Amino acid sequence: MPRFAALPRLALLILALFLALGQPVLAQPEQEAPNLTAWNKLADQAEQILESGSANDVRLQTIRDEVVKWRERLKAGQSVNATRIATLKDQIAALGPAPAEGQTEPEEIAARRKELGEQLATLQAPGLQAVEAYGRADGIVAQIDQTLRARQTFALIRKTPSPLNPAHWGPAVAEAGHVASRIYAEARGRWDSTAVSSDRAERLVVAVVLLVALLLLSRGRRWVDSLPSRLSARASERSRAALVFGVSLGQIAIPMFGLILFASALVLSGLFDEGGLPLVMSLVGAGVSFFAGLWLARRLFPAPDTAVEPPLPMSEERRAKARFRATLLAAALALHQLFSRSILPLSGFHSQNDSDTVPQRLSEASAGVWHFLLVLFGAFCLLRLCNMLRGLRQPEPADTPDYRIRVVNFLAMMGRLVAVAAPALVAVGYVTAGNALLWSSVMTLALVGLLIILQDFIADLYALAKGGDRSARDALMPVLIGFALILLSLPVFALIWGARASDLAEAWTRAQQGFSLGGVRLSPMALLTFLIVFAIGYFLTNFVQGAFRSSILPKTKLDAGGQNAVTSMIGYVGVALAAVFAVTSAGIDLTSLAFVAGALSVGIGFGMQQVVSNFVSGIILLVERPIAVGDWIEVGGQQGIVKKMAVRATQIQTFDRTQVIVPNSNLITQPVTNWTRGSLAGRIIVPITVGVTADSRQVAALLREIAEDQPTVLVNPPPAVLLRSITPTGQNFELRAVLSDINGGASIVSEINHQILERFAAAGIVLPGSVRGAQDVYLHQAEGEAPAALSLAGPQDQQDRS
């Protein structure tokens, strides 16, 4: 009982949440009307800037953010005076319908209707103005997005000087040297000035931070690299995989912390200003790319001594080569992150929006040369890695999911094409497009690898929660969570391939508005609300069913079948109520669904008439209860025990242990014999044939004694022996007896037959071959005596209800 003590409190909490979600939204404070004058001024300025086309991308994004804020205010302003408007509409409706053309109504009602109509128009005016302004804001946002996408497309397809032209190599080296010398001169000059002006305590702090950063970068990683293998030796088998994964994250965190400290020390030192500071700030992004890529390489292609289960089926030799090539690819991506945004233009998606750059970046011709070298290095590493991944095959036994092998093979094939296409694009002058194609492909490959690792980690956690059972890794729940991770990663894939955060926010806004289906507007939030409310209702229904089944119904006088019928009806009613609450909580108008239901009713009537018939029959069976679980019935030539009654069909277990599914409509429309309904008592009939010379009184007395000796044969009514007929072949008797439990009829008939053979033989009655049974039994007496015949029929064929 103690473990059930908290159930009522939990049930009340869930019920309160269920009712709260099922009620209409609580009354909110009345919205204030937005300042339309200020909005119109901003909208006019935004439209003028868009028409001129003079604003850069940063300025357009700033304007867009302001317009989006106003759009939210205008959307909220559409519900201004909503409560008062609803009240006025109810008052007008209470006056009755307006008179038709050519008809009149009493002057008092007409005057009141006019007064209320004027008040309604006055209250609706701010909301209507907000609706109009909202449409204008939506149009400005769409125009800005269209302009930004057009500029991004132009930047991608714009052709720049080819890096293969030798005339650009010398200036490229000279410009890079000029930038490096300028950063060095800036640092040298500020070092000399800081050494004189700064105090000793400040320099000591910078030195300590720099020393800690260097220790973390040089020594910290070695300690973290050896920690997973040391912990795995001490951890139990059930927790080893999850523990190793958690500790391995330190391979990213500790070096990144050291790198952040290093960059902070350089900033605090004051050595860099606008010349070198952008490069220092780029160290953090480059460090994330390198250390995260290194961690992915070690998790996807682990070494034998790391206690990490390989997520991909590869040999040790191929795994070591893939790990090295993935590390080189991470280094190439880090170099691109370090120099592209701060020094080199034409770096890929959104490169035209870079603001944290050195005062004078390289020219496009010189940047193309350096980009070509970086792209060549990255494409070479990508090609070598994809060559290692393209030959993956499903091992025997298959421990790796088949879809994972197919995805990796597909990405390897596409990666090889990208590794050839990206350098070719850069070589002919499409530097921005080549960078975008290559590095986005690399990050896509890394994100897919991260999803694979996270799916394995979730499976390990689930197995740990299930007690360390490794077979639990293949259960449904880890698969569903992995699928949810893939859905959640879709925005990240979009960002990798050029989408802006504002694009994703706008897509979410559009999705929240939903789409119309048969007059019903559906949105993600409405669907989520529907699922949550229905899940709560379904849980409460199961809880109530369990309470009735285990606590309430056993204390009533209902039999097992009646209890099953009550719990089933509670389930149907509970699920129906949960569906209604879920629909109303999601804001779906049930009157709109009536049109959809009317259209579907035709299809239901023709295509699903059998399903509907079985469903209705199941309800009738549960209400009238002509049969119940545990009854012995016969229907459609099938006999057996009712094991389960559902809405569509009833499950019967025959006497040879086979399961028969009988549609409920058959139990309503066809004759059904219920052998045990109301009482287990039943009658057996054993036909017997003896010779014409046998003493009929002696035979009847023996049969009566045999029946009375059986423990389940009732005394009232007593067993009866009938002489049914006399033929040239013998005398035909019937032994009839009523049993207290007909379920044991077959064994009783068998025992009676054994007793007949034994006692007739002892009484000197000869039993010749039977002319009615399928199998004859011959007993011989002394020579000269007349034979007597006995027919032993099958037990089930001779049983019926009394």
Side-chain angles (χ1 to χ4, degrees):
M1 292 300 294
R3 66 192 185 111
F4 293 105
L7 283 180
R9 189 177 304 172
L10 176 63
L12 290 176
L13 178 62
I14 297 176
L15 181 60
L17 179 61
F18 181 42
L19 294 177
L21 290 174
Q23 296 297 325
V25 179
L26 296 178
Q28 298 293 333
E30 288 289 349
Q31 296 287 342
E32 296 182 359
N35 188 349
L36 296 181
T37 303
W39 156 246
N40 289 326
K41 182 178 179 181
L42 174 64
D44 292 338
Q45 294 177 354
E47 289 173 347
Q48 291 175 4
I49 292 175
L50 285 172
E51 290 177 1
S52 64
S54 57
N56 58 16
D57 292 356
V58 177
R59 174 62 176 160
L60 286 179
Q61 188 64 42
T62 303
I63 295 174
R64 186 190 186 282
D65 295 339
E66 287 295 324
V67 174
V68 168
K69 293 178 182 178
W70 270 102
R71 187 175 63 174
E72 294 300 322
R73 298 176 197 167
L74 294 171
K75 183 178 180 180
Q78 296 176 12
S79 59
V80 171
N81 303 324
T83 305
R84 181 59 180 150
I85 290 173
T87 304
L88 284 174
K89 288 182 177 180
D90 292 340
Q91 290 177 314
I92 295 174
L95 297 177
E101 185 177 355
Q103 297 180 354
T104 60
E105 62 181 348
E107 294 182 1
E108 296 81 1
I109 297 179
R112 183 58 178 167
R113 189 187 302 277
K114 181 179 179 181
E115 179 185 357
L116 294 176
E118 291 175 353
Q119 294 180 14
L120 180 62
T122 303
L123 293 175
Q124 286 179 334
L128 295 177
Q129 292 175 354
V131 171
E132 180 183 358
Y134 179 87
R136 187 181 183 186
D138 204 38
I140 292 175
V141 171
Q143 189 174 357
I144 293 176
D145 289 340
Q146 184 179 1
T147 302
L148 292 175
R149 283 192 296 268
R151 291 184 179 182
Q152 185 183 51
T153 304
F154 176 75
L156 287 175
I157 65 176
R158 189 170 68 90
K159 189 175 181 180
T160 55
S162 172
L164 298 181
N165 189 349
H168 301 149
W169 299 351
V173 176
E175 290 183 25
H178 176 69
V179 172
S181 62
R182 182 172 179 175
I183 295 175
Y184 174 77
E186 179 185 81
R188 180 64 181 270
R190 294 178 70 86
W191 172 266
D192 295 336
S193 60
T194 341
V196 177
S197 59
S198 61
D199 56 0
R200 183 174 301 175
E202 183 179 353
R203 283 182 291 174
L204 181 61
V205 170
V206 172
V208 170
V209 172
L210 190 61
L211 179 61
V212 173
L214 293 176
L215 285 176
L216 291 177
L217 289 172
S218 59
R219 299 288 183 179
R221 184 168 186 84
R222 295 181 182 177
W223 180 75
V224 175
D225 288 347
S226 61
L227 188 59
S229 58
R230 287 186 292 174
L231 289 178
S232 63
R234 301 178 182 179
S236 62
E237 182 68 26
R238 52 186 294 188
S239 62
R240 180 175 303 166
L243 180 63
V244 169
F245 177 86
V247 173
S248 69
L249 294 177
Q251 297 174 353
I252 303 177
I254 291 182
M256 278 304 306
F257 184 64
L259 188 61
I260 292 174
L261 288 179
F262 181 76
S264 301
L266 294 180
V267 174
L268 291 175
S269 66
L271 296 177
F272 301 100
D273 196 6
E274 60 180 8
L277 199 57
L279 193 63
V280 173
M281 300 305 295
S282 297
L283 279 175
V284 179
V288 170
S289 299
F290 178 71
F291 293 120
L294 190 59
W295 177 80
L296 280 174
R298 296 189 175 188
R299 293 292 303 185
L300 288 172
F301 316 108
D305 57 346
T306 56
V308 177
E309 184 176 351
L312 298 175
M314 300 176 67
S315 63
E316 293 294 341
E317 180 181 0
R318 292 174 62 86
R319 193 175 297 124
K321 292 180 180 180
R323 182 170 59 251
F324 175 72
R325 295 171 184 179
T327 303
L328 287 181
L329 188 58
L333 180 61
L335 289 175
H336 170 77
Q337 295 285 347
L338 180 62
F339 295 113
S340 294
R341 298 299 175 88
S342 59
I343 298 176
L344 301 176
L346 310 175
S347 57
F349 293 115
H350 312 304
S351 58
Q352 69 274 17
N353 302 331
D354 295 335
S355 55
D356 298 331
T357 61
V358 296
Q360 185 176 0
R361 293 196 292 181
L362 272 63
S363 64
E364 291 185 349
S366 300
V369 174
W370 292 107
H371 276 306
F372 185 63
L373 295 177
L374 288 175
V375 167
L376 273 181
F377 178 49
F380 173 76
C381 297
L382 179 62
L383 181 63
R384 297 297 300 274
L385 178 60
C386 291
N387 285 336
M388 298 298 301
L389 296 177
R390 65 171 183 159
L392 292 182
R393 294 292 182 270
Q394 187 69 266
E396 293 294 340
D399 296 330
T400 306
D402 183 61
Y403 73 89
R404 180 179 298 180
I405 305 298
R406 295 199 301 268
V407 169
V408 172
N409 283 329
F410 174 77
L411 291 177
M413 179 186 68
M414 298 303 298
R416 297 178 68 200
L417 297 177
V418 170
V420 176
L425 288 174
V426 176
V428 297
Y430 296 101
V431 180
T432 305
N435 275 300
L437 178 63
L438 176 64
W439 304 117
S440 297
S441 300
V442 172
M443 288 187 284
T444 298
L445 198 63
L447 183 55
V448 172
L450 178 61
L451 291 175
I452 291 175
I453 294 173
L454 290 179
Q455 286 178 344
D456 287 347
F457 174 62
I458 291 171
D460 291 332
L461 283 182
Y462 187 78
L464 178 61
K466 287 294 185 179
D469 186 6
R470 295 290 296 173
S471 61
R473 299 179 82 255
D474 299 327
L476 177 61
M477 185 58 65
V479 175
L480 293 179
I481 298 177
F483 182 71
L485 277 178
I486 296 175
L487 293 180
L488 293 176
S489 67
L490 293 180
V492 182
F493 282 109
L495 291 173
I496 289 175
W497 286 97
R500 295 173 290 118
S502 57
D503 294 333
L504 299 181
E506 187 67 17
W508 176 247
T509 301
R510 300 294 182 188
Q512 283 182 314
Q513 296 176 358
F515 59 94
S516 181
L517 177 63
V520 178
R521 180 160 292 275
L522 300 177
S523 65
M525 290 305 298
L527 295 177
L528 182 61
T529 303
F530 176 85
L531 293 176
I532 292 175
V533 175
F534 184 78
I536 294 175
Y538 186 78
F539 172 78
L540 287 177
T541 300
N542 286 339
F543 178 79
V544 173
Q545 278 185 299
F548 269 80
R549 185 183 297 110
S550 59
S551 302
I552 299 176
L553 293 178
K555 299 179 181 180
T556 64
K557 296 181 179 180
L558 291 175
D559 57 8
Q563 296 178 18
N564 180 69
V566 172
T567 55
S568 298
M569 293 302 299
I570 292 175
Y572 301 145
V573 174
V575 171
L577 291 178
V580 173
F581 270 100
V583 170
T584 54
S585 300
I588 300 174
D589 189 3
L590 293 177
T591 58
S592 300
L593 290 178
F595 298 100
V596 180
L600 292 178
S601 61
V602 178
I604 293 176
F606 288 98
M608 300 182 64
Q609 54 183 347
Q610 292 297 329
V611 176
V612 175
S613 174
N614 289 327
F615 178 83
V616 174
S617 300
I619 299 298
I620 295 174
L621 290 174
L622 291 176
V623 173
E624 295 185 354
R625 296 175 55 224
I627 62 174
V629 176
D631 287 354
W632 172 12
I633 68 172
E634 179 180 357
V635 57
Q638 297 287 343
Q639 285 194 51
I641 306 299
V642 178
K643 291 297 183 181
K644 181 179 179 182
M645 296 183 64
V647 178
R648 189 193 65 84
T650 297
Q651 180 178 334
I652 299 175
Q653 179 176 323
T654 63
F655 296 107
D656 55 359
R657 300 296 178 179
T658 59
Q659 304 295 328
V660 179
I661 307 299
V662 180
N664 287 333
S665 59
N666 292 356
L667 299 175
I668 296 296
T669 59
Q670 295 183 9
V672 178
T673 302
N674 195 329
W675 297 99
T676 59
R677 187 60 174 171
S679 173
L680 296 178
R683 186 178 65 177
I684 59 172
I685 300 176
V686 182
I688 306 163
T689 300
V690 297
V692 293
T693 59
D695 186 351
S696 61
R697 300 294 181 182
Q698 183 183 12
V699 171
L702 285 175
L703 291 176
R704 190 175 294 107
E705 292 176 3
I706 292 172
E708 291 174 350
D709 289 342
Q710 305 306 315
T712 60
V713 173
L714 296 179
V715 179
N716 186 20
V721 179
L722 305 176
L723 178 58
R724 299 300 301 271
S725 62
I726 302 175
T727 64
T729 58
Q731 307 173 42
N732 298 320
F733 289 85
E734 277 189 0
L735 171 62
R736 298 186 178 187
V738 179
L739 306 181
S740 60
D741 187 355
I742 193 61
N743 290 307
S747 60
I748 295 300
V749 171
S750 176
E751 180 61 26
I752 289 175
N753 289 331
H754 284 294
Q755 293 292 328
I756 289 173
L757 292 175
E758 294 175 359
R759 295 196 182 187
F760 277 32
I765 301 175
V766 177
L767 304 177
S770 174
V771 298
R772 296 177 56 188
Q775 182 177 2
D776 296 335
V777 179
Y778 296 94
L779 298 179
H780 299 280
Q781 288 184 338
E783 184 178 356
E785 293 187 359
L790 173 65
S791 174
L792 303 179
Q796 291 189 15
D797 293 335
Q798 307 306 324
Q799 298 174 15
D800 65 2
R801 291 286 291 127
S802 61

